[in-house]
Amino acid sequence: MTFEKTKELANGSIIPRLGLGVWQVKDGAEAVNSVKWALEAGYRLIDTAAAYKNEESVGEGIRQSGVPRDEIFVTTKLWNADQGYESTLKAFDESLKKLELDYVDLYLIHWPVEGKYKDSWRAMEEIYNSGRAKAIGVSNFYAHHIEDLLTTAEVTPMVDQIELHPTLTQEPLRKFLADHEIAVEAWSPLGQGKILENPTLVELGEKYHKTAAQIIIRWHLQSDIIVIPKSVHQERINQNFDVFDFELSVEDMKRIDQLNTNERLGPDPDTFNF
């Protein structure tokens, strides 16, 4: 079975399709170990953010892993309070300092803060042009936010990282992103664990001799979605990566698509207030 473990972004950057997310992973040993275990298991994408307050430990985990820097794809994000032109440049410097890296592979605007994301994007373009972020993108942006951004942007975002799982499949937004050559990346890809007991997913797990989580991760991959499940347990981190040795049938992919209820677990990008 041929399955590309990486995806080429619109600017030619190569991003692994499966990575480790570290949202809600405690700074210190927990974050250091999660990153180190993931890299040992074969992950090459690590996704953090200024708001997660664990960038220092992520950087430490990368160093302790012994995996060469140029083999690892590191993403971090600009927090809402730091949006604006000057403050974005400053926040980015701060993130690099905490990570102890010379560059990141992807820098994202974390949320579409009204009246600020265009100025933030101007700074992101400058960072991108300097080579200190190899790719730039957004997170939690709806189509209308991106359309608005594109009225002034010189560089089209390469990625939109959004809440996406079998009960929130985001198909209209995914179609919009595909039309604009913007890669889709899923946060909370396992529905924060709330859908692991879903009878359809459990049944498919039995059919393929995999866990429900592995079925969901594989569904993301086959749907051309970059996916960053979070775990702090070494066994689970290994399990989540063990998804390249089977393939869901077209029928089973459709069955998972049909679990969509448009149920959002996180804030709505149009009404968030932080």
Side-chain angles (χ1 to χ4, degrees), residues 179-199:
D179 290 345
H180 288 79
E181 292 186 353
I182 300 170
V184 181
E185 187 170 23
W187 63 260
S188 283
L190 304 176
Q192 295 172 18
K194 294 186 175 130
I195 52 176
L196 297 179
E197 306 295 316
N198 179 285

Side-chain angles (χ1 to χ4, degrees), residues 31 81 110 167 207 228:
H110 210 147
T167 49
K207 176 180 172 180
I228 45 170

Side-chain angles (χ1 to χ4, degrees), residues 134-235:
K134 303 296 179 193
I136 50 175
V138 294
S139 181
N140 301 301
F141 275 50
Y142 280 145
H144 73 86
H145 296 122
I146 292 172
E147 281 170 336
D148 182 45
L149 187 66
L150 292 177
T151 60
T152 55
E154 289 176 16
V155 177
T156 299
M158 289 131 209
V159 172
D160 189 5
Q161 186 181 117
I162 53 177
E163 181 184 344
L164 205 163
H165 40 78
T167 49
L168 182 70
T169 56
Q170 299 263 32
E171 282 179 30
L173 178 52
R174 277 160 56 194
K175 185 181 182 318
F176 171 87
L177 294 171
D179 290 345
H180 288 79
E181 292 186 353
I182 300 170
V184 181
E185 187 170 23
W187 63 260
S188 283
L190 304 176
Q192 295 172 18
K194 294 186 175 130
I195 52 176
L196 297 179
E197 306 295 316
N198 179 285
T200 301
L201 297 169
V202 171
E203 185 199 317
L204 290 173
E206 286 165 5
K207 176 180 172 180
Y208 290 93
H209 307 291
K210 291 286 177 182
T211 65
Q214 289 169 322
I215 295 293
I216 297 168
I217 293 166
R218 184 71 204 192
W219 168 80
H220 281 282
L221 294 171
Q222 287 181 220
S223 304
D224 195 24
I225 297 160
I226 300 156
V227 60
I228 45 170
K230 163 235 166 188
S231 180
V232 296
H233 305 289
Q234 187 168 14
E235 190 189 353

Side-chain angles (χ1 to χ4, degrees), residues 27 31-32 35 39 46 48 54-65 72 74 95-101:
D27 202 31
V32 173
V35 169
L39 292 169
I46 307 292
T48 185
N54 56 19
E55 288 173 312
E56 281 152 323
S57 299
V58 165
E60 184 57 34
I62 288 170
R63 284 186 294 283
Q64 285 189 22
S65 76
I72 305 170
V74 181
S95 283
L96 275 194
K97 203 162 88 185
K98 285 181 174 166
L99 288 159
E100 288 189 43
L101 296 175

Side-chain angles (χ1 to χ4, degrees), residues 3 9-10 17 59 92 100 133 150 162 189 230-231 263 270:
F3 184 84
L9 299 178
R17 290 175 182 270
F92 179 74
E100 288 189 43
L150 292 177
I162 53 177
K230 163 235 166 188
S231 180
E263 183 197 351
D270 271 338

Side-chain angles (χ1 to χ4, degrees), residues 226-246:
I226 300 156
V227 60
I228 45 170
K230 163 235 166 188
S231 180
V232 296
H233 305 289
Q234 187 168 14
E235 190 189 353
R236 191 75 48 74
I237 287 170
N238 291 341
Q239 257 183 9
N240 287 346
F241 200 71
D242 184 20
V243 291
F244 295 104
D245 59 349
F246 76 107

